[in-house]
């Protein structure tokens, strides 16, 4: 079967969130055949039992449910990549296990991906400002239809122009910004752009609820710096507007580290 969409979700435990995500995907409107990959990253028995009967809950004949089970925990990046090795859909739809997909999501995304010079779309996008101030990873200042530098990774859709080749860089491990690296790579290899779509997905687990050590958040920021440095030549050539990195301490969000960032001919450096 020729699939229009390959939907990919990696999950490890977290049954409460995942059930809501799963039900939203199987209830969503699709205009063509879908292969729905769920990668079970060595979850406990409760989630395993749910997944064993999940296929019987799918009534939409367009959805072909494909479960991949890891014998041992591999992490979200390697798990997604296992599905990307197999995905043949015209479009890849990345849906995290704590994301609710709106029923009419397609109408709010595909009108933007039909624009010839786009390669990927998502409901949240970031501008990175030239003076390195007001880093806006959530994309509150970007409007639907705006070209942006980065898309949030909890939900985004891309044209599967290089099946089996566009995968997440496992160097970034569990510390995020793997989606930024992949998005910049797509821009470099295609010359196409990222675009913010309509708000068609809800993220159940918000950053304010995340629990992590300062060391983890420091690595999180360094990963973004690594992406910037890797693609600096593209920035300087004007192909990617790389505009901002986290540079402030936010008392309301103590996980955001106080960092000093410089960009130009120098490497990005963090202090504090």
């Amino acid at each position: 079967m020729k699939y229009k969409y390959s939907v990919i979700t990696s999950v490890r435990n977290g049954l409460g969130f995942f059930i809501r995500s799963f039900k939203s995907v199987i209830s969503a409107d699709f205009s063509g055949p879908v292969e729905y990959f769920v990668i079970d990253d060595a979850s406990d028995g409760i989630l395993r039992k749910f997944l064993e009967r999940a296929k019987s809950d799918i009534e939409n004949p367009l959805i072909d449910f494909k479960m991949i089970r890891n014998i041992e925990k591999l992490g979200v990046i390697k798990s997604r990549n296992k599905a990307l090795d197999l995905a043949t859909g015209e479009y890849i739809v990345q849906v995290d296990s704590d994301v609710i997909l709106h029923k009419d999501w397609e109408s709010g995304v595909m009108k933007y991906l039909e624009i010839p010079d786009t390669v990927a779309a998502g409901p949240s996008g970031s501008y990175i400002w030239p003076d390195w101030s007001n880093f806006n990873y959530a994309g509150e200042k970007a409007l639907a239809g705006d070209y942006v530098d980065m898309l949030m990774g909890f939900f985004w859709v891309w044209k599967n122009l290089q099946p089996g080749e566009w995968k997440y860089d496992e160097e970034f491990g569990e510390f995020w910004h793997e989606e930024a690296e992949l998005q910049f790579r797509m821009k470099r290899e295609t010359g196409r752009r990222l675009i913010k779509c309509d708000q068609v997905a809800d993220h159940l687990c918000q950053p304010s609820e995340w629990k992590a050590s300062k060391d983890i958040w420091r690595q999180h920021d360094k990963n973004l710096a690594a992406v910037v440095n890797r693609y600096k030549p593209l920035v300087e050539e004007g192909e990617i507007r790389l505009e901002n990195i986290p540079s402030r301490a936010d008392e309301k969000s103590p996980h955001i580290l106080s960092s000093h960032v410089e960009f130009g001919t120098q490497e990005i450096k963090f202090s504090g």
Side-chain angles (χ1 to χ4, degrees):
M1 180 184 296
K2 185 176 181 179
Y3 298 104
K4 182 172 184 178
Y5 299 109
S6 295
V7 179
I8 295 176
T9 299
S10 172
V11 61
R12 175 174 168 82
N13 302 322
L15 181 62
F17 281 157
F18 176 70
I19 287 178
R20 296 175 66 183
S21 178
F22 173 79
K23 289 183 176 179
S24 74
V25 172
I26 66 175
S27 301
D29 293 332
F30 294 99
S31 61
V34 181
E35 54 179 354
Y36 179 18
F37 290 96
V38 173
I39 308 94
D40 173 14
D41 193 19
S43 296
D44 60 26
I46 297 176
L47 185 61
R48 284 204 309 270
K49 289 179 180 178
F50 174 81
L51 289 173
E52 286 170 359
R53 62 174 179 81
K55 190 168 186 176
S56 64
D57 293 336
I58 301 175
E59 299 178 352
N60 187 340
L62 290 175
I63 298 178
D64 184 5
F65 181 71
K66 300 182 177 182
M67 185 176 69
I68 299 172
R69 175 163 291 154
N70 297 338
I71 298 175
E72 59 183 10
K73 182 179 182 294
L74 297 181
V76 65
I77 308 304
K78 290 183 178 179
S79 296
R80 289 176 185 165
N81 282 347
K82 288 179 74 171
L84 288 170
D85 278 332
L86 303 172
T88 60
E90 184 180 355
Y91 297 92
I92 304 294
V93 185
Q94 167 64 50
V95 181
D96 278 4
S97 61
D98 58 353
V99 167
I100 293 179
L101 191 62
H102 295 189
K103 183 175 178 58
D104 61 350
W105 74 276
E106 198 173 20
S107 62
V109 175
M110 298 312 295
K111 61 185 175 184
Y112 299 109
L113 284 178
E114 289 171 355
I115 299 172
D117 71 343
T118 60
V119 66
S124 295
S126 299
Y127 297 122
I128 310 181
W129 305 106
D131 63 358
W132 299 103
S133 64
N134 299 317
F135 179 75
N136 187 31
Y137 192 62
E140 295 174 358
K141 296 180 181 179
L143 303 176
D146 283 356
Y147 291 111
V148 293
D149 301 301
M150 296 162 57
L151 299 168
M152 291 286 276
F154 66 86
F155 167 81
W156 61 298
V157 183
W158 69 85
K159 298 174 181 178
N160 194 15
L161 300 177
Q162 297 185 24
E165 295 185 24
W166 278 347
K167 296 188 291 185
Y168 292 100
D169 187 337
E170 295 175 4
E171 174 184 335
F172 288 84
E174 300 296 317
F175 298 111
W176 308 289
H177 294 306
E178 73 285 346
E179 78 285 346
E181 193 282 329
L182 179 54
Q183 291 162 8
F184 285 11
R185 196 176 349 135
M186 290 175 174
K187 291 165 68 74
R188 179 186 65 187
E189 294 179 2
T190 67
R192 301 190 186 197
R193 308 171 78 179
L194 311 177
I195 192 167
K196 181 171 181 176
C197 68
D198 298 346
Q199 188 64 37
V200 296
D202 301 317
H203 198 190
L204 297 175
C205 184
Q206 294 300 311
S208 61
E209 302 170 14
W210 297 345
K211 305 296 182 184
S213 70
K214 285 189 175 182
D215 286 342
I216 288 178
W217 286 111
R218 184 174 288 109
Q219 185 62 49
H220 168 275
D221 287 352
K222 286 182 178 179
N223 276 9
L224 184 52
V227 173
V228 171
N229 287 315
R230 180 177 295 184
Y231 292 95
K232 188 187 299 183
L234 293 182
V235 178
E236 293 171 346
E237 293 166 11
E239 296 180 27
I240 298 177
R241 281 186 4 268
L242 199 49
E243 306 154 44
N244 185 18
I245 293 284
S247 59
R248 62 184 174 84
D250 187 337
E251 294 180 359
K252 295 181 180 179
S253 301
H255 60 269
I256 299 178
L257 301 177
S258 176
S259 303
H260 175 66
V261 182
E262 297 178 353
F263 181 74
T265 57
Q266 304 298 316
E267 292 285 309
I268 292 177
K269 299 178 180 179
F270 290 83
S271 61

